[in-house]
């Protein structure tokens, strides 16, 4: 069972990121890939690649900044269009919340609502807002995903996952981070409350 009692909660996390030129096996012929893993709990090496802790992922990938990936047994609800056939769900603030991740009908991946990544070689500003059960993925000032009810599954039981460590990924790709900052939140900023209204 995960130790869910440690880690940060209710915060605004911000960083800048840009790609370098180098790629390594096994990603030499794939998109440059990285990520922000948040609400991370439990032991390192729990996920597929045996590197990171269980948690939720704010994807950092060429053309996919702000996507969502479930890690291990995590799950979450995302405002998104229903997927159909081979299509992935696509986030959009106008849609209802759909459960995704471990033990859900929709597996743990959702595309961001739009591509707001800057040109190669330019810095991108990424923001992660987490307050209670509400989460926002923001890319260069644009909300690209609205999420809520973060959780993980343990022996068939759904357990809230609303705090934990933050991990920065680097997946066989040269990536640069700077101006990493975090500040506590006492309430969800007013400009974002409408995203969670029914």
């Amino acid at each position: 069972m995960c130790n869910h009692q440690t880690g940060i909660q209710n915060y605004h996390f911000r960083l800048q990121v840009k790609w370098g030129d180098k790629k390594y096996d096994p990603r030499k012929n794939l998109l440059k890939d990285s990520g922000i893993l948040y609400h991370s709990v439990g032991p390192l090496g729990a996920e597929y690649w045996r590197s990171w802790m269980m948690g939720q992922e704010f994807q950092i990938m060429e053309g996919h900044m702000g996507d969502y990936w479930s890690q291990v047994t995590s799950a979450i609800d995302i405002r998104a269009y229903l997927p159909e056939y081979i299509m992935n769900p696509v986030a959009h603030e106008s849609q209802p919340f759909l459960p995704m991740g471990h033990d859900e009908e929709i597996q743990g991946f959702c595309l961001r609502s739009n591509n707001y990544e800057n040109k190669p070689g330019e810095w991108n500003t990424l923001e992660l807002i987490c307050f209670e059960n509400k989460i926002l993925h923001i890319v260069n000032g644009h909300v690209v995903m609205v999420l809520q009810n973060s959780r993980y599954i343990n022996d068939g039981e759904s357990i809230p996952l609303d705090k934990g460590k933050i991990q920065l990924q680097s997946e066989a790709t040269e990536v640069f981070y700077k101006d990493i900052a975090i500040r506590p939140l006492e309430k969800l900023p007013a400009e974002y409350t409408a995203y969670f209204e029914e």
Side-chain angles (χ1 to χ4, degrees), residues 32-46:
K32 294 175 183 174
D33 189 11
S34 189
I36 302 167
L37 302 180
Y38 58 96
H39 295 352
S40 300
V41 297
L44 289 167

Side-chain angles (χ1 to χ4, degrees), residues 43 104 176:
E104 299 294 350
F176 300 97

Side-chain angles (χ1 to χ4, degrees), residues 94-105:
S94 68
Q95 297 303 297
F97 284 100
L98 302 178
M100 298 183 199
H102 190 76
D103 279 358
E104 299 294 350
E105 185 175 334

Side-chain angles (χ1 to χ4, degrees), residues 20-170:
D21 297 324
K22 299 174 185 173
K23 293 199 288 187
Y24 307 92
D25 287 329
R27 301 207 64 85
K28 280 188 175 178
N29 298 313
L30 299 172
L31 295 172
K32 294 175 183 174
D33 189 11
S34 189
I36 302 167
L37 302 180
Y38 58 96
H39 295 352
S40 300
V41 297
L44 289 167
E47 49 58 74
Y48 178 78
W49 292 107
R50 301 286 182 247
S51 301
W52 304 289
M53 303 164 74
M54 181 186 71
Q56 310 290 13
E57 182 173 354
F58 181 134
Q59 176 75 286
I60 302 173
M61 179 187 273
E62 289 178 297
H64 289 272
M65 287 194 180
D67 287 358
Y68 166 80
W69 276 97
S70 165
Q71 295 288 326
V72 195
T73 66
S74 67
I76 204 160
D77 300 338
I78 303 173
R79 285 199 183 276
Y81 287 97
L82 280 167
E84 184 174 337
Y85 185 47
I86 62 169
M87 295 171 58
N88 292 309
V90 178
H92 198 271
E93 64 196 63
S94 68
Q95 297 303 297
F97 284 100
L98 302 178
M100 298 183 199
H102 190 76
D103 279 358
E104 299 294 350
E105 185 175 334
I106 302 172
Q107 294 302 304
F109 175 71
C110 184
L111 293 164
R112 77 285 178 270
S113 61
N114 208 332
N115 181 17
Y116 294 108
E117 182 178 355
N118 289 330
K119 294 176 184 176
E122 294 183 1
W123 290 98
N124 295 275
T125 300
L126 307 184
E127 297 173 82
L128 172 67
I129 293 179
C130 299
F131 185 76
E132 294 177 349
N133 71 340
K134 299 172 176 64
I135 300 166
L136 295 163
H137 291 186
I138 303 171
V139 177
N140 292 319
H142 300 274
V143 173
V144 297
M145 192 167 292
V146 181
L147 313 90
Q148 69 178 18
N149 298 329
S150 175
R151 58 197 179 275
Y152 70 94
I153 311 303
N154 184 56
D155 292 332
E157 180 185 359
S158 180
I159 300 169
L161 184 60
D162 59 3
K163 64 182 172 182
K165 296 180 179 180
I166 293 175
Q167 305 172 92
L168 297 181
Q169 286 183 324
S170 175

